[in-house]
């Protein structure tokens, strides 16, 4: 099987994210995620969730990268690195942030800066928030440029 294809079905992925991030309540999706269920997993259950989150990267769902970051799943670093070049803007922000947190590496800031640079991008605010985790001159310059844009 191609490494980029998920073994979990799209329906199962949806059910997994519903259970792990929204208490299994579709109405809660409007209120934002609650990662407490995912954070509380331990042992084999946690490892199985991490496996599912890694497979979820194939759907380019930013929740996959978010979940890997929240579980501190350092074994997912190679999968996140492989996913980053083909990620959508939302996925790019979450994947680069997950890589920053999991690897303690600043090199992923430019991926988020790309999203922030496009002021019409609906994910630019998320990019600005994510950049707070990067202590590089480029990140500071990008945030300053975004704040001083007169458009």
């Amino acid at each position: 099987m191609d490494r980029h294809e998920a073994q979990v079905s799209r329906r199962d992925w949806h059910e997994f994210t519903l259970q792990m991030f929204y208490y299994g309540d579709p109405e809660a999706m409007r209120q934002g995620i609650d990662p407490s269920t995912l954070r509380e997993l331990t042992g084999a259950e946690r490892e199985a969730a991490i496996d599912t989150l890694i497979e979820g990267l194939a759907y380019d769902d930013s929740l996959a990268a978010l979940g890997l970051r929240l579980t501190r799943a350092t074994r997912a670093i190679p999968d996140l690195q492989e996913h980053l070049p083909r990620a959508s803007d939302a996925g790019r922000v979450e994947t680069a942030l997950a890589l920053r947190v999991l690897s303690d590496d600043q090199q992923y800031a430019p991926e988020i800066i790309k999203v922030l640079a496009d002021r019409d991008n609906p994910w630019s605010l998320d990019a600005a928030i994510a950049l707070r985790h990067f202590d590089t001159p480029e990140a500071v310059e990008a945030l300053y440029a975004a704040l001083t844009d007169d458009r």
Side-chain angles (χ1 to χ4, degrees), residues 44-55:
E45 194 175 35
R46 178 182 180 276
E47 293 306 310
I50 290 169
D51 289 341
T52 303
L53 290 164
I54 289 170
E55 289 182 26

Side-chain angles (χ1 to χ4, degrees), residues 30-42:
R30 292 185 213 153
Q31 299 170 14
I33 67 163
D34 181 354
S36 61
T37 302
L38 192 59
R39 284 184 177 149
E40 293 168 3
L41 296 176
T42 59

Side-chain angles (χ1 to χ4, degrees), residues 10 12 15 17-18 25 32 39 52 62 64 66 75 90 94 101-102 105-106 118 126 142 149:
R10 190 170 288 279
D12 289 345
E15 185 62 31
T17 58
L18 190 61
D25 179 7
R39 284 184 177 149
T52 303
S62 60
L66 172 65
R75 70 179 169 95
E94 281 299 336
V101 170
L102 297 175
D105 193 333
Q106 302 273 345
D118 178 2
D126 294 282
D149 186 358

Side-chain angles (χ1 to χ4, degrees), residues 97 100-101 104-110 112-113 128-141 143:
L97 180 55
R100 166 68 178 112
V101 170
D104 195 31
D105 193 333
Q106 302 273 345
Q107 74 171 326
Y108 303 102
I112 296 175
I113 291 169
I129 293 168
L131 279 176
R132 75 174 188 238
H133 297 280
F134 292 84
D135 186 23
T136 66
E138 296 82 15
V140 172
E141 289 171 21
L143 285 167

Side-chain angles (χ1 to χ4, degrees), residues 109-130:
E111 295 296 330
I112 296 175
I113 291 169
K114 287 179 200 175
V115 177
L116 179 63
D118 178 2
R119 303 299 187 273
D120 297 325
N121 189 316
W123 301 105
S124 61
L125 179 58
D126 294 282
I129 293 168

